[in-house]
């Protein structure tokens, strides 16, 4: 141990105290030994530092910071160097605000387009997400502070995220859901990882020995700190045994006492605690060192804003450009329509909300763009229903214009932490507006603002389509620079856009039933499914247009990688994202038709040719063998494909790769759907063959009394009237707040109360309610109201008395 001598000077109580927070955002300190607190802050795309007494859910405004484009946006840049630059500037701002640990980036897979937090995640592909995450981590940690990769692992939905049990087979877990984390650990060398709320195959992730010990600690040799998601600790001793050092937020000493009692009773060896303390001390001392030196307390606000703009410009995706309507020709008169033009939608909602230092709005940026605007009309109510008057006024303006810029998208309440989207549509009142505008002026360029994929049955009504995603505080100006031609678009989609939500591979199993969610589609998520099952999509993974054209030629493949030539055959300079896909020609082991195994983004002047090299690495040909329980290589011919998207392969070659000789782990006859790739409606029986065990019952047991891990939502089945009243009160409060327009507060109720397990009452109240008091609340809910009420008051008096003694 690195700090063995210091640890020997600590009392058992002091060591235990370091294992949970001092308050909502700070870790505990031990002044007599020179151990200071750390400050942790949300910040996947901007620092959200709240004062120590502030709440986790964002009810209070944070200190102003640069709001960079979200991860879903930057992922579309396919530029790892750009990701490192974002991380670099995030790290600089973390230092300015004395933040030791920045809680990001988020790298969960986009298993389903309705996940409410997809705007915070990079990709549907683990290799792509891992490489982008590693670049962020390198940038953040170059300043001496720590990144915190989250949420480990298989947290791919928001509904019931604190209680849901994710049922996934081992191969899919390794290849799809853990690979990005593996890259973040091995290449990014993240100092901190946040465990997720959910269960994984029966065990909470922060208590899951297979995930935390066998894979993270032993296989990946991770020696950093694991912190719970806020309120995400269930059994504190089981978490420590799994190697989850830090529990956040504070429990006011409650779990400290549990640790002490476990050691005294022999349930927990003190050396396990010592090892956890040692890893945590290393993080505390290494991140606090930068603040002990001279450091900047301020950062260049204008410079950081310009960087945010540059990042947004490179991440914007041009999806349609009929008749080369874009870039806009000089002198064309433009009508600007849409509520998002006036009030930009530039970030998500929930714990990642940033209080921006500057905020660009479209209508304030027209003069410098050179685009001639003849006026603006709102066109639709952001949160309302169809408004004929707004539509008529927008159409009157559109009739006078050469081109209409129509700003549409999803509102702030639709994409939010704690909630999943109900569908893939943009609101009907926006579509009604679009159809009305098309009747008076067909030259429509739609500018889409949202953090995830949407259906587009209306796409034939627009000639141009630009997706800005959530472009941060400078996104509005960046979009205008692309529309005007000052910037040549180079973004490409990091997720597939299906024609209809019903065609997504996880449609039948999202967000799962009450107690669990079954990943029956296995490794066939995103383009892996669509390409293998030959399903048409609206826009494929890796797709994006440019104002110039690129020609691929002269492919050469050897054992080290692939080289080829890339020529800009157009009239202007541009950047192209070249993508390496690999497919195995053997049919012995089921696989996707192709998988991303490398990419590069290259700037090329008009008429110029460059030679591009994309190397192979340890992940190029591997698969996880569930018989040998390790990564293997199948001996076979492999197809090497270079494409402009997963569906636009420009160059192909093959290479023979010697295998590791492992036996085939599957009986092909028993897994027909997985071998065909038609994995969108797998039977329970076939899924169980893949799992090699029975799937657990997916519904709640309504006969048992409610316990610590049951949710407030389950109070609808409570034996006691008090419990059922709680449920109906919450449902009514949510409905009422939504009706009167208090949507943010309504969402907060669903996120922080409705889906919360009872244990969260103790874990998230900073010790105001402890576990013995919670026992009384559960008695009240389960039909023993007065006995439970007496128990609550009795335990509260004991708690107050203990606090006074201490």
């Amino acid at each position: 141990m690195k700090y063995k001598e210091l640890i020997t000077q600590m009392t058992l109580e002091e060591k235990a105290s370091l294992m949970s927070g001092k308050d909502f955002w700070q870790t505990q300190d031990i002044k007599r030994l020179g151990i200071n607190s750390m400050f942790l802050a949300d910040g996947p795309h901007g620092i959200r530092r709240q004062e120590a007494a502030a709440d986790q859910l964002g009810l209070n405004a944070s200190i102003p910071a640069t709001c960079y484009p979200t991860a879903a946006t930057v992922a579309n840049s396919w530029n790892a160097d750009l990701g490192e630059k974002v991380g670099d500037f995030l790290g600089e701002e973390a230092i300015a605000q004395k933040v030791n640990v920045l809680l990001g980036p988020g790298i969960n897979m986009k298993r389903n387009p309705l996940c409410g937090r997809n705007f915070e995640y990079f990709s549907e592909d683990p290799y792509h997400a891992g490489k982008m995450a590693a670049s962020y981590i390198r940038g953040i940690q170059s300043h001496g502070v720590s990144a915190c990769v989250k949420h480990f692992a298989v947290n791919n939905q928001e509904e019931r995220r604190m209680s849901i049990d994710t049922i996934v087979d081992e191969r899919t877990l390794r290849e799809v859901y853990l690979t990005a984390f593996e890259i973040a650990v091995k290449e990014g060398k993240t100092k901190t990882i946040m465990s997720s709320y959910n269960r994984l195959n029966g065990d909470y992730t922060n208590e899951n020995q297979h995930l935390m010990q066998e894979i993270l600690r032993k296989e990946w040799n991770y020696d950093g700190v694991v912190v719970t998601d806020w309120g995400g600790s269930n059994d504190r001793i089981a978490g420590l045994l799994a190697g989850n050092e830090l529990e956040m937020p504070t429990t006011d000493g409650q779990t400290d006492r549990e640790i002490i009692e476990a050691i005294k009773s022999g349930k927990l060896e003190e050396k396990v605690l010592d090892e956890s303390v040692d890893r945590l001390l290393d993080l505390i001392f290494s991140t606090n060192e930068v603040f002990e030196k001279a450091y900047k307390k301020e950062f260049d606000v204008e410079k950081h804003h310009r960087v945010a703009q540059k990042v947004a410009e490179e991440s914007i995706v041009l999806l349609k450009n009929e008749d080369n309507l874009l870039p806009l020709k000089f002198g064309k008169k433009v009508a600007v329509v849409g509520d998002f033009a006036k009030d930009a939608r530039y970030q998500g909602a929930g714990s990642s909300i940033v209080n921006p230092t500057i905020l660009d709005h479209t209508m304030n940026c027209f003069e410098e763009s050179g685009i001639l605007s003849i006026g603006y009309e709102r066109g639709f109510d952001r949160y309302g229903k169809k408004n004929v008057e707004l539509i008529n006024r927008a159409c009157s303006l559109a009739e006078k214009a050469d081109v209409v810029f129509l700003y549409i998208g999803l509102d702030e309440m639709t994409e939010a932490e704690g909630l999943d989207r109900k569908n893939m549509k943009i609101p009907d009142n926006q579509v009604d507006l679009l159809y009305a505008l098309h009747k008076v002026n067909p030259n429509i360029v739609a500018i889409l603002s949202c953090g995830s994929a949407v259906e587009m049955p209306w796409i034939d009504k627009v000639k141009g389509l630009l997706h800005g995603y959530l472009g941060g505080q400078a996104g509005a100006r960046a979009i205008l620079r692309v529309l005007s031609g000052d910037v040549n678009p180079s973004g490409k989609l990091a997720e597939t856009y299906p024609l209809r939500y019903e065609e997504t591979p996880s449609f039948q199993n999202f967000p799962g039933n009450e107690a669990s969610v079954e990943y029956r589609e296995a490794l066939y998520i995103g383009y892996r499914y669509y390409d293998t099952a030959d399903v048409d999509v609206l826009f494929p993974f890796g797709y994006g247009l440019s104002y110039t054209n690129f020609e691929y030629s002269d492919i050469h493949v050897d054992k080290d990688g692939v080289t080829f030539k890339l020529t800009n055959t157009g009239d202007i300079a541009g950047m192209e994202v070249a993508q390496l896909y690999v497919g195995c020609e053997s049919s012995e082991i089921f696989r996707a038709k192709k998988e991303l195994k490398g990419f590069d983004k290259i700037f090329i002047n008009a008429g110029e040719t460059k030679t591009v090299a994309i190397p192979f690495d340890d992940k190029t040909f591997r698969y996880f063998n569930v018989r040998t329980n390790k990564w293997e290589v199948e001996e076979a011919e492999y197809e090497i494909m270079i494409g402009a998207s997963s569906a636009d392969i420009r160059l192909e070659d093959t290479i023979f790769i010697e295998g590791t000789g492992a036996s085939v782990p599957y009986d092909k006859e028993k897994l027909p759907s997985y071998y065909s790739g038609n994995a969108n409606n797998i039977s329970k029986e076939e899924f169980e063959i893949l799992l090699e065990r029975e799937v657990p019952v997916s519904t709640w047991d309504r006969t048992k009394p409610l316990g610590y891990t049951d949710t407030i939502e389950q109070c609808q089945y409570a034996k006691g009237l008090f419990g059922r009243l709680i449920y109906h009160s919450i449902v009514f409060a949510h409905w009422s707040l939504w009706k009167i327009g208090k949507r943010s507060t309504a969402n907060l109720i669903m996120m922080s109360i409705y889906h919360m397990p009872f244990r969260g009452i103790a874990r998230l109240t900073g010790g105001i309610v402890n576990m013995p008091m919670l026992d009384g609340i559960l008695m009240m809910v389960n039909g023993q109201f007065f006995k439970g009420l007496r128990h609550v008051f009795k335990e509260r008096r004991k708690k107050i008395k203990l606090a006074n003694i201490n």
Side-chain angles (χ1 to χ4, degrees):
M1 293 192 301
K2 192 173 181 179
Y3 296 96
K4 186 175 181 180
E5 186 176 333
L6 181 60
I7 292 170
T8 59
Q9 298 175 51
M10 294 183 194
T11 66
L12 178 57
E13 289 74 15
E14 285 174 330
K15 288 189 285 188
S17 73
L18 289 175
M19 296 294 98
S20 63
K22 178 180 180 179
D23 51 40
F24 238 99
W25 296 107
Q26 295 184 96
T27 61
Q28 190 59 262
D29 54 29
I30 304 175
K31 294 297 185 185
R32 75 176 187 88
L33 296 175
I35 299 170
N36 295 322
S37 297
M38 290 189 301
F39 199 102
L40 298 86
D42 285 306
H45 59 268
I47 314 297
R48 194 180 75 99
R49 171 164 180 152
Q50 295 181 281
E51 296 307 325
D55 66 289
Q56 182 249 349
L57 297 169
L59 294 177
N60 303 325
S62 56
I63 298 168
T66 310
C67 181
Y68 296 93
T70 67
T73 312
V74 184
N76 294 333
S77 76
W78 291 66
N79 189 337
D81 291 338
L82 192 69
E84 189 162 341
K85 177 177 280 192
V86 174
D88 181 16
F89 280 77
L90 284 170
E92 185 180 330
E93 293 191 34
I95 288 176
Q97 296 196 17
K98 295 200 76 172
V99 170
N100 300 69
V101 180
L102 199 56
L103 302 176
I107 57 174
N108 295 102
M109 289 298 97
K110 298 184 181 183
R111 173 184 179 242
N112 187 283
L114 299 189
C115 174
R117 216 166 176 179
N118 274 354
F119 66 87
E120 250 186 275
Y121 302 141
F122 287 108
S123 182
E124 69 183 24
D125 181 85
Y127 189 89
H128 181 241
K131 291 294 184 179
M132 293 302 296
S135 69
Y136 266 61
I137 295 161
R138 286 192 296 269
I140 292 167
Q141 296 188 169
S142 68
H143 292 274
V145 296
S146 173
C148 179
V149 170
K150 59 185 185 182
H151 308 86
F152 191 61
V154 289
N155 177 190
N156 308 108
Q157 67 183 61
E158 290 298 285
E159 185 170 309
R160 304 191 184 104
R161 61 179 176 164
M162 295 184 79
S163 61
I164 199 79
D165 188 6
T166 301
I167 310 302
V168 59
D169 70 281
E170 184 70 11
R171 182 181 170 202
T172 299
L173 175 67
R174 298 299 199 104
E175 292 187 15
V176 176
Y177 295 101
L178 294 188
T179 292
F181 286 99
E182 180 186 357
I183 295 170
V185 168
K186 293 182 176 180
E187 297 181 23
K189 302 192 182 304
T190 184
K191 296 179 182 179
T192 313
I193 291 175
M194 182 188 290
S195 55
S196 56
Y197 285 125
N198 55 285
R199 289 180 169 101
L200 170 58
N201 292 327
D203 295 322
Y204 282 102
T205 57
N206 78 306
E207 302 169 9
N208 193 302
Q209 287 283 332
H210 178 55
L211 181 68
M212 291 291 182
Q213 283 292 337
E214 295 172 11
I215 298 175
L216 179 63
R217 297 292 185 187
K218 295 175 183 177
E219 187 177 318
W220 297 351
N221 297 314
Y222 178 67
D223 60 359
V225 167
V226 177
V227 58
T228 66
D229 204 338
W230 266 236
S233 175
N234 178 52
D235 183 325
R236 188 64 190 103
I237 307 308
L240 262 182
L241 287 168
N244 197 149
E245 290 84 4
L246 181 59
E247 175 189 21
M248 290 298 288
T250 181
T251 61
D252 195 30
Q254 182 182 172
T255 52
D256 303 350
R257 290 188 287 274
E258 290 176 15
I259 293 168
I260 293 166
E261 289 167 9
I263 289 174
K264 288 180 177 178
S265 68
K267 184 178 179 181
L268 178 70
E269 290 185 66
E270 192 165 354
K271 72 173 185 178
V272 173
L273 175 61
D274 289 348
E275 288 169 357
S276 293
V277 170
D278 190 66
R279 289 191 290 261
L280 187 63
L281 286 176
D282 195 40
L283 183 65
I284 290 171
F285 287 131
S286 66
T287 56
N288 271 319
E289 186 179 4
V290 70
F291 304 122
E292 292 164 5
K293 300 173 182 177
Y295 75 95
K296 291 182 181 179
K297 294 186 178 180
E298 296 180 355
F299 59 91
D300 188 331
V301 171
E302 287 290 343
K303 180 181 178 182
H304 284 228
H305 183 71
R306 289 195 298 274
V307 169
Q309 179 182 317
K310 170 67 171 67
V311 174
E313 288 171 359
E314 200 171 317
S315 305
I316 291 166
V317 187
L318 180 62
L319 294 174
K320 184 176 182 181
N321 194 16
E322 189 179 317
D323 300 332
N324 289 320
L325 188 59
L326 297 174
L328 197 69
K329 308 300 184 289
F330 181 75
K332 292 286 184 181
K333 295 182 293 183
V334 172
V336 182
V337 177
D339 191 52
F340 293 108
K342 185 174 182 292
D343 293 308
R345 170 86 203 284
Y346 61 96
Q347 64 175 326
S351 64
S352 66
I353 290 178
V354 179
N355 184 11
T357 55
I358 301 169
L359 183 57
D360 290 339
H361 289 287
T362 302
M363 301 313 299
N364 299 332
C365 301
F366 263 98
E367 188 173 339
E368 67 184 68
S369 73
I371 297 173
L372 177 60
S373 168
I374 63 168
Y376 162 78
E377 285 294 342
R378 186 178 173 197
F380 61 87
D381 186 328
R382 200 182 194 100
Y383 300 109
K385 297 180 180 179
K386 182 176 180 178
N387 186 316
V388 176
E389 182 182 351
L390 291 179
I391 291 176
N392 289 340
R393 289 169 60 179
C395 288
S396 295
L397 180 67
E399 285 180 310
K400 304 168 188 172
D402 297 313
V403 177
V404 178
F405 284 176
L406 176 60
Y407 285 76
I408 54 178
L410 299 176
D411 62 63
E412 290 81 353
M413 298 304 105
T414 300
E415 297 178 289
E417 179 182 353
L419 300 166
D420 294 318
R421 290 160 61 198
K422 292 181 173 62
N423 55 57
M424 278 188 69
K425 305 176 189 299
I426 64 168
D428 289 341
N429 62 345
Q430 297 182 36
V431 178
D432 290 338
L433 170 65
L434 170 56
Y435 279 92
L437 288 170
H438 184 265
K439 289 178 181 177
V440 300
N441 190 335
N443 294 320
I444 298 173
V445 176
I447 296 95
L448 198 57
S449 297
C450 51
S452 47
V454 294
E455 292 176 355
M456 301 182 192
W458 40 263
I459 195 167
D460 63 325
K461 297 294 188 273
V462 301
K463 285 190 175 180
L465 178 59
L466 200 71
H467 201 336
Y469 268 69
L470 301 178
Q473 65 182 49
R477 178 178 274 106
I479 286 170
L480 284 176
R481 282 175 53 78
V482 170
L483 292 169
S484 69
D486 289 339
V487 170
N488 187 356
S490 61
K492 296 203 174 191
L493 295 176
E495 58 188 317
T496 306
Y497 278 53
L499 288 165
R500 299 183 310 124
Y501 173 60
E502 290 76 11
E503 295 173 353
T504 59
S506 56
F507 168 70
Q508 302 286 349
N509 297 283
F510 182 92
N513 211 332
E514 296 166 339
S516 64
V517 54
E518 297 167 11
Y519 284 33
R520 294 193 188 185
E521 73 282 356
L523 53 80
Y524 295 104
I525 75 165
Y527 72 90
R528 284 169 164 77
Y529 165 69
Y530 298 112
D531 287 358
T532 308
D534 197 24
V535 175
D536 289 336
V537 299
L538 180 63
F539 296 115
F541 177 78
Y543 175 85
L545 301 175
S546 171
Y547 293 151
T548 189
N549 297 298
F550 298 96
E551 183 180 281
Y552 293 69
S553 62
D554 298 344
I555 186 171
H556 174 73
V557 178
D558 60 29
K559 63 181 180 62
D560 297 317
V562 56
T563 60
F564 55 94
K565 289 181 179 177
L566 194 57
T567 303
N568 183 343
T569 59
D571 298 326
I572 60 172
M575 300 180 80
E576 172 70 337
V577 177
Q579 302 155 41
L580 164 64
Y581 295 90
V582 174
C584 181
E585 296 190 352
S586 167
S587 61
E588 291 300 304
I589 298 166
F590 72 82
R591 301 172 185 259
K593 184 177 181 180
K594 64 173 79 76
E595 294 179 340
L596 182 76
K597 297 297 181 180
F599 57 90
D600 196 7
K601 191 166 192 177
I602 308 100
F603 175 84
I604 311 179
N605 285 311
E608 184 182 13
T609 298
K610 285 188 175 180
T611 299
V612 182
I614 301 179
F616 298 151
D617 61 21
D618 63 331
K619 297 169 186 65
T620 305
F621 302 107
R622 73 178 190 176
Y623 76 96
F624 192 82
N625 188 301
V626 294
R627 288 285 167 271
T628 63
N629 195 37
K630 63 181 182 179
W631 294 100
E632 305 283 3
V633 174
E634 183 181 6
E635 185 169 292
E637 289 279 343
Y638 287 84
E639 192 173 6
I640 307 301
M641 296 163 270
I642 299 296
S645 79
S646 65
D648 184 11
I649 302 302
R650 303 289 184 89
L651 302 171
E652 296 181 61
D653 202 347
T654 58
I655 186 172
F656 177 80
I657 298 295
E658 293 183 2
T660 50
S663 59
V664 176
Y666 306 113
D667 183 340
K668 187 186 297 188
E669 299 302 318
K670 294 180 179 179
L671 299 169
S673 302
Y674 294 110
Y675 273 87
S676 69
N678 294 309
N680 62 329
N681 194 14
I682 302 287
S683 69
K684 177 185 174 184
E685 291 72 25
E686 190 173 352
F687 183 51
E688 288 182 334
I689 291 170
L690 181 68
L691 278 176
E692 298 185 318
R693 63 182 185 277
E694 291 185 0
V695 297
V697 176
S698 61
T699 53
W700 294 316
D701 186 344
R702 290 160 169 75
T703 64
K704 290 183 178 180
L706 296 177
Y708 295 148
T709 59
D710 294 313
T711 65
I712 309 298
E713 179 188 9
Q714 289 172 256
C715 282
Q716 61 187 297
Y717 308 117
K719 292 182 179 179
L721 177 62
F722 176 68
R724 296 195 297 276
L725 280 173
I726 288 174
Y727 170 78
H728 289 293
S729 297
I730 291 169
V731 171
F732 178 74
H734 176 267
W735 176 84
S736 301
L737 288 165
W738 193 265
K739 282 292 183 183
I740 65 173
K742 301 285 186 180
R743 291 174 172 83
S744 181
T745 308
N747 281 354
L748 193 63
I749 286 175
M750 297 301 288
M751 178 176 74
S752 60
I753 301 176
Y754 188 78
H755 290 306
M756 184 172 67
F758 277 93
R759 63 174 166 78
I761 297 173
R763 298 301 195 221
L764 277 168
T765 54
I768 295 172
V769 176
N770 61 20
M771 294 300 280
M773 291 167 67
L774 181 60
D775 289 335
I777 293 171
L778 284 168
M779 288 180 203
M780 295 165 69
V781 166
N782 287 317
Q784 297 176 295
F785 180 81
F786 292 107
K787 181 181 178 181
L789 189 62
R790 286 194 298 272
H791 188 86
V792 170
F793 282 118
K794 182 179 117 178
E795 293 299 332
R796 176 169 170 74
R797 284 193 298 271
K798 284 169 64 175
K799 180 179 177 297
I800 293 170
K801 185 177 178 181
L802 184 63
N804 290 335
I805 292 172
N806 294 334

